[in-house]
Amino acid sequence: GGGGGGSAGSEGAGAGAATAGGVGAAAVGKRGGRGGTATEAAGGPTPVRNVVFMGMGEPLNNYRAVTSAVRLLTDASLFGLRASSVTVSTVGVVPRMRSFAADLPGVSLALSLHAPTQHKREAIMPAARAYPLPRLMGALEAHMAAARPHTPTSRVAMVEYIMLRDVNDAAEDADALAALLSPHAHKLMAGLLRDPLPTWPS
């Protein structure tokens, strides 16, 4: 499914962030207007402020259920999260990426890229064989063009890149990644994550 994630909107996923491990998993207290949620007013637990759909299989392959859940989370009469506080992570399902911004305007999209070339991407994620990198980047560009940022400086998409030692962390990989993403720097946030395995020097 979509690899790691974080809020690509104007608010970072700090305290109160949650990962939706399944549709409807992010049950939070009803918001009590701009001043905070009902649970905050009652001195209850810290409410969820950001939700990331990841680690639950590919969210865009469960499109109808995920979009329904996002609409509930952003409904002002229910959970009242800002659209920019919700992120959906994807490995890159091109047809759904192209409809995402129209169906969920303002909701952030996080693309699990993990390599700057098609060959390396397929080696890391076999699912990448379904959509060549040029089509994938075209869908990401279409999303960024159609998305509604929360503020003029908000990023409407995020690219996630886990650096795997001796796989995708060479200088030429960095140069290729910069060339691939730099034309979109004003609308795109990149998240570089170090290999979680204990193979890196301190």
Side-chain angles (χ1 to χ4, degrees):
S7 175
S10 59
E11 295 182 20
T19 297
V23 174
V28 298
K30 184 188 257 189
R31 275 195 179 272
R34 291 184 64 88
T37 65
T39 53
E40 278 182 304
T46 302
V48 172
R49 297 187 183 279
N50 298 277
V51 173
V52 180
F53 286 81
M54 61 171 286
M56 50 183 282
E58 170 54 56
L60 297 190
N61 282 340
N62 194 21
Y63 195 76
R64 183 180 298 177
V66 168
T67 53
S68 295
V70 172
R71 289 182 180 122
L72 290 173
L73 290 168
T74 56
D75 188 326
S77 67
L78 296 171
F79 303 119
L81 292 177
R82 287 185 177 134
S84 60
S85 296
V86 179
T87 298
V88 176
S89 180
T90 179
V91 75
V93 181
V94 166
R96 293 306 193 186
M97 288 175 67
R98 289 190 171 276
S99 59
F100 184 86
D103 292 337
L104 297 171
V107 174
S108 301
L109 185 68
L111 172 64
S112 296
L113 187 64
H114 305 317
T117 66
Q118 181 66 19
H119 174 72
K120 282 196 175 183
R121 202 163 181 266
E122 289 182 11
I124 295 169
M125 297 184 300
R129 295 172 187 152
Y131 300 106
L133 192 56
R135 284 190 65 194
L136 185 63
M137 295 307 296
L140 186 63
E141 290 169 8
H143 167 78
M144 291 188 290
R148 299 180 194 170
H150 179 61
T151 71
T153 58
S154 295
R155 301 299 194 263
V156 294
M158 177 179 181
V159 166
E160 303 155 333
Y161 191 107
I162 296 178
M163 295 187 294
L164 303 172
R165 189 168 189 173
D166 299 328
V167 176
N168 64 351
D169 65 337
E172 55 264 32
D173 294 316
D175 291 340
L177 183 64
L180 185 67
L181 301 183
S182 59
H184 316 293
H186 62 297
K187 287 188 175 181
L188 186 66
M189 181 169 67
L192 299 178
L193 308 173
R194 197 172 75 169
D195 184 351
L197 298 177
T199 56
W200 285 65
S202 300

